């Protein structure tokens, strides 16, 4: 049961939960100013903290594009004797929480959404089903063989890459393009690791030769084939990467010199030097950013994603352990303060002293954090002022 007590613009909600912590309570921005907490089945206004709508609490899978598309799934039926389970996949209207449609799927291993937001791919034993997100109807279906260890990777534009693994190595790969009558086989390296993001950014990495691949169509983006050029290849740490559906930035080496490389899925690639072994990286729209510590300060650099042309460079006092871009802004957090910067120009919009906890969501009107003790706190995007606080308690 949810209890509400209002005091000025600060609202306190008491929610009956067995346990609650930021790490197990995800927050999804499902449209411009609506936040959804699936473990409570509660949607909140990012402007006021008020409850916008409710659904039954559940533990299942949630997908949203942040712009009005919200899909939920949970196991809705189990037949122990037959070892059979049914998964309900539903689309929910983010304005009021109304279920627009539900589809009952049998023995689901995994489901993902196309980058276009128009198709839902459902993998069950021996089958790949393609549903439309508009009405949940089955559009196409394909037979799959030996698919116990199958990974589905939505492509940055549209379509799907399927990787079947055996003993940790890629055994078979297929590509699906919407409307195609068959799955097309792809020839890929065995030791392949996918870097992917929630909004369908995708970059593939093969560690033995430190090769980076684009996935649509699959081809080599960059690799080190001469060990004399890359003397630290065997000892180099696994690369760090940040990516969106617009493009990517990742750490690499140019000979013995550490660099970052960035680019887009049309094949553009550029590089820039880096000083830190493990810098923080972020991509926002058409800008790639890198944050490096330097004693008691931090260096922030940004480049145009498509060309690598410098976008901005700033030196900030203090060291920041966290950086995240989204919705046109860049959030920096340290133990002492939070800074909000424009992701295009690097201009600082505001700075708030004090540590507000883990970032939960970046909405149109507010930046939302988890506080110690299980509170959500919202700061205005315009000036960093406190908008509201939502407190969760077990009782």
């Amino acid at each position: 049961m949810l209890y509400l007590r209002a005091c000025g613009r600060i609202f306190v909600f008491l929610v009956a939960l067995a346990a609650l912590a930021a790490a197990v309570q995800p927050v999804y921005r499902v449209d411009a100013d609506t936040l959804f907490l699936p473990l409570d089945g509660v949607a909140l206004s990012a402007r006021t903290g008020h409850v916008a709508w409710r659904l039954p609490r559940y533990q299942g899978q949630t997908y949203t594009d942040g712009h009005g598309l919200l899909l939920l799934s949970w196991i809705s039926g189990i037949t122990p004797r037959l070892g059979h389970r049914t998964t309900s996949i539903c689309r929910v209207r983010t304005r009021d929480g109304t279920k627009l449609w539900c589809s009952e799927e049998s023995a689901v291993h995994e489901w993902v959404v196309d980058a276009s937001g128009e198709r839902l791919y459902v993998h069950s034993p021996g089958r790949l089903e393609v549903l439309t997100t508009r009405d949940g109807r089955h559009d196409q279906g394909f037979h799959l063989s030996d698919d116990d260890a199958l990974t589905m990777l939505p492509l940055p534009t549209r379509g799907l890459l399927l990787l079947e693994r055996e003993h940790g190595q890629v055994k078979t790969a297929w590509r699906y393009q919407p409307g195609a009558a068959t799955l097309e086989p792809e020839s890929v390296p065995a030791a392949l690791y996918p870097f992917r993001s929630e909004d369908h950014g995708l970059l593939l990495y093969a560690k033995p030769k430190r090769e980076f691949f684009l996935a649509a169509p699959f081809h080599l983006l960059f690799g080190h084939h001469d060990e004399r050029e890359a003397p630290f290849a065997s000892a180099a740490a696994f690369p760090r990467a940040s990516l969106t559906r617009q493009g990517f930035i990742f750490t690499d080496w140019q000979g013995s010199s550490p660099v970052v490389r960035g680019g887009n899925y049309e094949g553009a690639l550029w590089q820039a030097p880096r000083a830190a072994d493990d810098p923080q990286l972020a991509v926002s729209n058409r800008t790639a950013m890198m944050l490096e510590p330097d004693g008691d300060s931090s260096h922030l650099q940004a480049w145009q994603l498509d060309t690598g042309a410098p976008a901005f460079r700033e030196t900030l006092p203090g060291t920041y352990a966290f950086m995240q871009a989204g919705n046109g802004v860049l959030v920096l957090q340290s133990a002492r303060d939070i800074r909000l910067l424009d992701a295009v120009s690097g201009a600082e919009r505001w700075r708030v002293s004090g540590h507000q906890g883990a970032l939960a969501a970046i909405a149109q009107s507010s930046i939302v954090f988890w506080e110690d003790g299980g509170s959500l706190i919202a700061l205005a995007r315009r000036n960093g002022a406190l908008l509201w606080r939502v407190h969760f308690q077990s009782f």
Side-chain angles (χ1 to χ4, degrees):
M1 182 175 296
L2 188 70
Y3 296 90
L4 165 64
R5 184 174 72 243
C7 179
R9 299 187 69 189
I10 298 178
F11 302 88
V12 179
F13 295 83
L14 302 181
V15 181
L17 296 173
L20 178 66
V24 295
Q25 178 73 338
V27 178
Y28 296 90
R29 180 179 66 86
V30 296
D31 61 29
D33 262 334
T34 303
L35 310 175
F36 179 58
L37 288 74
L39 297 189
D40 291 322
V42 174
L44 304 176
S45 166
R47 292 179 179 273
T48 65
H50 288 152
V51 173
W53 43 265
R54 296 186 180 98
L55 289 175
R57 293 185 302 175
Y58 82 104
Q59 294 189 16
Q61 184 176 342
T62 301
Y63 171 83
T64 182
D65 64 356
H67 302 286
L69 176 60
L70 175 60
L71 297 172
L72 312 176
S73 76
W74 61 91
I75 296 177
S76 55
I78 299 176
T79 307
R81 290 184 179 181
L82 301 178
H84 179 82
R85 72 181 188 279
T86 301
T87 297
S88 293
I89 304 176
C90 298
R91 179 170 182 176
V92 176
R93 188 163 59 198
T94 58
R95 183 176 71 248
D96 55 15
T98 299
K99 291 180 182 177
L100 299 176
W101 56 259
C102 287
S103 179
E104 303 296 315
E105 304 294 329
S106 178
V108 173
H109 285 326
E110 182 186 13
W111 62 267
V112 296
V113 179
D114 191 87
S116 68
E118 298 174 354
R119 296 168 186 83
L120 172 67
Y121 303 112
V122 180
H123 172 220
S124 57
R127 293 290 296 176
L128 172 67
E129 296 291 338
V130 184
L131 285 67
T132 62
T133 59
R134 180 174 59 84
D135 53 20
R137 293 185 179 181
H138 285 249
D139 183 42
Q140 285 181 289
F142 301 92
H143 172 72
L144 301 173
S145 59
D146 301 326
D147 60 335
D148 290 339
L150 187 70
T151 300
M152 299 196 298
L153 302 171
L155 298 173
T157 51
R158 55 203 297 264
L160 186 70
L161 182 68
L162 300 97
L163 300 179
E164 181 193 348
R165 297 184 181 275
E166 185 176 70
H167 306 301
Q169 301 291 310
V170 176
K171 175 184 176 184
T172 310
W174 301 277
R175 180 167 53 93
Y176 168 73
Q177 289 297 320
T182 60
L183 302 177
E184 296 296 328
E186 288 277 10
S187 177
V188 301
L192 203 61
Y193 174 84
F195 287 102
R196 48 182 165 174
S197 65
E198 292 182 355
D199 77 333
H200 303 105
L202 181 62
L203 192 66
L204 302 168
Y205 176 67
K207 188 175 182 181
K209 292 184 178 180
R210 294 195 296 138
E211 296 172 320
F212 294 86
F213 295 88
L214 297 180
F218 185 86
H219 68 274
L220 179 68
L221 177 67
F222 186 82
H224 298 270
H225 301 286
D226 189 343
E227 291 301 317
R228 292 172 298 177
E229 177 192 355
F232 305 109
S234 60
F238 204 77
R240 177 182 285 256
S242 178
L243 57 168
T244 67
R245 69 176 67 183
Q246 283 79 34
F248 48 80
I249 182 172
F250 58 85
T251 58
D252 198 18
W253 292 80
Q254 182 65 44
S256 59
S257 302
V259 297
V260 289
R261 303 186 195 274
N264 60 31
Y265 302 106
E266 286 72 47
L269 186 67
W270 50 266
Q271 75 175 48
R274 62 182 168 95
D277 290 336
D278 195 21
Q280 296 188 64
L281 307 174
V283 175
S284 177
N285 296 327
R286 298 294 178 179
T287 306
M289 291 161 280
M290 174 176 68
L291 183 69
E292 298 180 294
D294 183 14
D296 294 330
S297 61
S298 299
H299 298 304
L300 176 64
Q301 296 184 73
W303 303 268
Q304 294 179 13
L305 192 59
D306 294 344
T307 65
F312 58 83
R313 182 185 179 99
E314 302 287 345
T315 297
L316 305 171
T319 56
Y320 290 86
F322 180 85
M323 175 176 76
Q324 183 170 323
N327 209 8
V329 297
L330 183 66
V331 180
L332 303 180
Q333 287 181 265
S334 72
R336 296 184 300 177
D337 63 18
I338 299 171
R339 293 177 187 265
L340 189 74
L341 283 68
D342 185 278
V344 175
S345 67
E348 183 172 297
R349 295 188 178 180
W350 48 259
R351 171 181 171 270
V352 175
S353 297
H355 185 241
Q356 305 294 344
L359 179 66
I362 301 174
Q364 180 173 290
S365 62
S366 63
I367 313 296
V368 182
F369 301 87
W370 280 110
E371 278 190 319
D372 292 341
S375 296
L376 277 180
I377 183 171
L379 305 181
R381 272 183 59 143
R382 183 173 59 87
N383 57 14
L386 175 66
L387 288 181
W388 48 265
R389 178 179 282 110
V390 175
H391 185 61
F392 298 85
Q393 284 185 342
S394 301
F395 62 90

